[in-house]
Amino acid sequence: MVDQERIRLVVLGGAGVGKSAICKQFLFNSFCPKYRTTVEDLYSKEFNVGSTTIKVDILDTCGDQQFPAMRRLSIATAHAFLFVYSIACEQSFEIIKQNFEEVREQREDYQTLPIVIAGNKLDLAPDCRHITVEDASEWVYCELPKMRVKLVECSAKDNVNVREVFKCFLGLSRFLNGTEDFSTCPLKRRSSAYVSHTKASRRAESPVALSVTAATSVAKSPASPTGRGNHTVDQSKNDQDRPKPRSRSLIRRCSRKTKQQIRDSGAVDDCNVS
């Protein structure tokens, strides 16, 4: 049986830097010199990696700042990011810095997300370059040293390093290169029950901390002759207050009930993304 995974790669950057051109060159081996403003385009493609079939959704976002709600939603649902700037435009490089700040503000797991930064328009004349490799590398590897980031320069027009841009995600993903366990991969889509349980586990104290707290409470408890009374009350209170993971069967029942109510009422679900 072949395992299947679905991940979402979100492309961010300023207007006119070639985000759509890179995506279309990679997916369709085509390039259109005519510029067309993108609102939001979604492409899907399957890739076979060993015994795993990976379904990749590439979300090409708008370079203008007129759709902040759409950009926030795309950042919240992404498993990986591709930041694109033009080597001939200093402002485009500042925009991807702003985009990264948005990711850092919205995503607590930003340090574990695979990120590739692509400097496009390598086909232009050398005197047109305003962002050197050294300038970009200084920001990427000095200011973001603990992140899983890769810097690549490419040309969507001449199809130079376009495939390498997307191959970088294979090296940045621990799941795809097989260096870590399948369940720890940031690209792994997890159920809401699993996410709720893991967040509750992170908020809970470690067993060592609980034992230290219990020992301290016993030492400071003059009311209990055996030294166990307060510890038992505190431990039972902690067990009651600790969040429990939601049952997956409950989630499925609620989902089926909601869908049945929609069908009975005749409403149309407009939130499905194909």
Side-chain angles (χ1 to χ4, degrees), residues 50-244:
S51 61
T52 303
T53 299
I54 302 177
K55 297 180 179 179
V56 181
D57 294 331
I58 302 177
L59 183 62
D60 183 14
T61 62
C62 177
D64 297 329
Q65 303 297 317
Q66 56 182 337
F67 302 110
M70 294 176 63
R71 189 167 60 257
R72 286 195 298 268
L73 180 60
S74 65
I75 291 175
T77 58
H79 300 98
F81 291 96
L82 172 60
F83 293 128
V84 181
Y85 70 95
S86 170
I87 64 172
C89 180
E90 294 182 4
Q91 184 180 2
S92 67
F93 192 69
E94 295 299 323
I95 289 177
I96 68 167
K97 292 182 180 180
Q98 297 173 9
N99 294 147
F100 172 75
E101 290 301 324
E102 292 180 283
V103 172
R104 179 154 55 182
E105 291 175 1
Q106 295 187 47
R107 299 291 297 269
E108 295 181 356
D109 58 342
Y110 71 95
Q111 288 185 320
T112 65
L113 295 172
I115 297 176
V116 174
I117 299 175
N120 192 30
K121 302 189 178 182
L122 193 60
D123 54 278
L124 295 178
D127 56 350
C128 295
R129 177 189 285 268
H130 293 282
I131 302 296
T132 64
V133 178
E134 292 76 17
D135 293 335
S137 299
E138 182 179 1
W139 177 68
V140 171
Y141 299 115
C142 294
E143 297 190 24
L144 315 176
K146 296 182 179 180
M147 294 190 56
R148 299 163 62 189
V149 183
K150 194 77 173 180
L151 173 65
V152 182
E153 287 192 339
C154 64
S155 170
K157 180 180 179 180
D158 294 343
N159 196 13
V160 176
N161 289 340
V162 173
R163 294 187 64 85
E164 281 66 23
V165 168
F166 293 90
K167 283 183 179 179
C168 288
F169 288 104
L170 296 176
L172 293 173
S173 171
R174 293 182 295 213
F175 159 56
L176 295 179
N177 61 27
T179 58
E180 291 205 10
D181 184 67
F182 184 81
S183 60
T184 62
C185 170
L187 303 186
K188 169 73 174 175
R189 174 166 290 188
R190 301 176 172 91
S191 68
S192 55
Y194 180 88
V195 173
S196 176
H197 176 61
T198 53
K199 287 184 178 180
S201 300
R202 286 196 298 267
R203 288 194 297 264
E205 292 183 347
S206 64
V208 176
L210 287 175
S211 62
V212 173
T213 305
T216 304
S217 61
V218 170
K220 294 182 179 180
S221 175
S224 176
T226 61
R228 295 196 190 118
N230 290 343
H231 171 59
T232 305
V233 174
D234 293 341
Q235 184 66 30
S236 61
K237 184 177 180 181
N238 289 335
D239 293 338
Q240 294 176 359
D241 295 340
R242 183 178 298 134
K244 297 181 179 180

